[in-house]
Amino acid sequence: VDSRRRLVEEHEETHVWQARILGPLFAPAYLGWSVIGAVIGAIQWLTFASPRPRLASVVDRLAYRANPFERWADRHPIRRGSIRPIGR
């Protein structure tokens, strides 16, 4: 449980740093990717032959899992204690 909590904390801490780096561009960029990914996922789902996978799984893959901010946070999380404040 502790290792899972640490992974989640590091993942979310990475999002905090992404927002600090990108400033006011972070939220619209993240949301924009999510919306466009959801639309493309829905269109892609409509083109699948029967039996279709669940719509939610196709949308999740494109809107969330393929989101570059999520991929960055999954592959290169900010390790706890790896960034120190300047001057301390």
Side-chain angles (χ1 to χ4, degrees), residues 69-87:
F69 298 109
E70 291 299 329
R71 293 174 70 121
W72 175 4
D74 286 341
R75 293 180 179 163
H76 306 288
I78 300 294
R79 301 287 178 217
R80 201 182 317 176
S82 66
I83 296 179
R84 303 248 188 297
I86 295 173

Side-chain angles (χ1 to χ4, degrees), residues 2-65:
D2 283 340
S3 63
R4 176 72 180 148
R5 184 192 308 136
R6 189 183 81 249
L7 287 173
V8 170
E9 287 174 356
E10 290 173 352
H11 176 96
E12 296 307 323
E13 179 71 14
T14 303
H15 289 313
V16 170
W17 279 99
Q18 290 168 343
R20 288 177 180 169
I21 292 165
L22 295 174
L25 298 176
F26 174 74
Y30 188 102
L31 182 61
W33 181 280
S34 297
V35 169
I36 291 168
V39 170
I40 292 171
I43 292 168
Q44 187 180 56
W45 178 81
L46 289 170
T47 65
F48 281 123
S50 202
R52 287 184 178 147
R54 288 183 36 240
L55 173 61
S57 67
V58 176
V59 169
D60 177 68
R61 182 173 45 85
L62 289 168
Y64 178 72
R65 302 200 185 282

